[in-house]
Amino acid sequence: DGTAFVNAPELRCLAGDALAAEIAKAAPQIALVGPTPQNKQAGVLGLFLKRDELVNGFASYAKAGDDSVMLWHAGRYWFIGAAAHLGQERGWVSLRDGCLCPEASTVTWEVQDGTAFVNAPELRCLAGDALAAEIAKAAPQIALVGPTPQNKQAGVLGLFLKRDELVNGFASYAKAGDDSVMLWHAGRYWFIGAAAHLGQERGWVSLRDGCLCPEASTVTWEVQDGTAFVN
């Protein structure tokens, strides 16, 4: 505890079949949800799908819709980082815990703010029933409202109705009265775009956030102005 050794009665040492069974319990999908300080690293949060490959003996995950972002354990930490750095002690989001399943941890997650890792106490890792319940919370209808720079993309804003189909593991929506326009999550963003591009990383309006419900985000939306996305 910083000054002396204290009892840890729930700590267990596993080997053999018991250890193999514990590793095999790794959830098929997990999600990191919740706000971070100044929305740092919000784009790399969200839903992760278990990979077949163990990394450093632990389960590893790829971000749904963007397998250039992965989750793995290395050294003393779980990391979310670039797939190119898989297995290394580096990343954008970290959890200092040797637990075999990150959703089991009660340690505070940290995010890289550009110079150092800082605590993100509201960040949560969900799996199983807790994750299913969070996905099921998706609102039956949502609306994007408010002015945009030079009224860009104003015509594709408005009311959206939830579709039966999940896209990349997230709820998806169709524009009320015009199902040629849809809202979905792909990679690191929510997009409003053409139904023909459903599930792809392209669109007219975007939100760089891995949140499971776009209305929960505090990140600034962006609109395409013809040459680039602008706030």
Side-chain angles (χ1 to χ4, degrees), residues 12-23 100:
R12 299 171 296 146
C13 185
L14 305 178
D17 291 345
L19 174 56
E22 197 73 16
I23 292 172
L100 296 180

Side-chain angles (χ1 to χ4, degrees), residues 65 142 144 156-157 160 167-168 171-174 181-195 197-209 214 221-224 229:
I142 61 177
L144 266 80
V156 300
L157 305 180
F160 288 78
V167 174
N168 297 321
S172 63
Y173 293 81
V181 177
M182 292 190 176
L183 169 65
W184 66 85
H185 195 277
R188 305 181 188 189
Y189 296 83
W190 284 92
F191 288 99
I192 293 175
H197 302 149
L198 182 66
Q200 300 177 36
E201 293 186 66
R202 59 194 298 186
W204 306 301
V205 181
S206 70
L207 173 72
R208 188 183 173 101
D209 197 329
W221 286 83
E222 298 181 328
V223 296
Q224 175 62 246
F229 279 98

Side-chain angles (χ1 to χ4, degrees), residues 35-168:
T36 62
Q38 299 178 312
N39 295 316
K40 296 295 185 182
Q41 311 306 338
V44 300
L45 305 180
L47 192 66
F48 288 78
L49 308 178
K50 189 168 76 166
R51 303 170 65 242
D52 292 334
E53 179 191 2
L54 295 178
V55 174
N56 298 321
F58 291 73
S60 63
Y61 293 81
K63 186 164 166 55
D66 182 5
D67 60 9
S68 72
V69 177
M70 293 189 176
L71 170 65
W72 66 86
H73 195 277
R76 305 179 187 185
Y77 295 84
W78 284 93
F79 287 100
I80 293 175
H85 301 149
L86 182 65
Q88 299 177 37
E89 294 185 63
R90 58 193 301 187
W92 306 301
V93 181
S94 70
L95 174 72
R96 188 183 174 105
D97 197 330
C99 59
L100 296 180
C101 300
E103 70 274 14
S105 180
T106 57
V107 175
T108 299
W109 286 83
E110 298 180 329
V111 296
Q112 175 61 244
D113 72 353
T115 57
F117 278 98
V118 296
N119 286 344
E122 295 183 75
L123 200 53
R124 298 172 295 143
C125 186
L126 305 179
D129 291 345
L131 174 55
E134 195 75 13
I135 292 172
K137 285 180 185 176
Q141 57 181 14
I142 61 177
L144 266 80
V145 298
T148 62
Q150 299 177 315
N151 295 315
K152 297 291 185 181
Q153 311 305 339
V156 300
L157 305 180
L159 190 66
F160 288 78
L161 308 179
K162 188 167 77 165
R163 303 169 65 242
D164 292 334
E165 179 191 4
L166 295 178
V167 174
N168 297 321

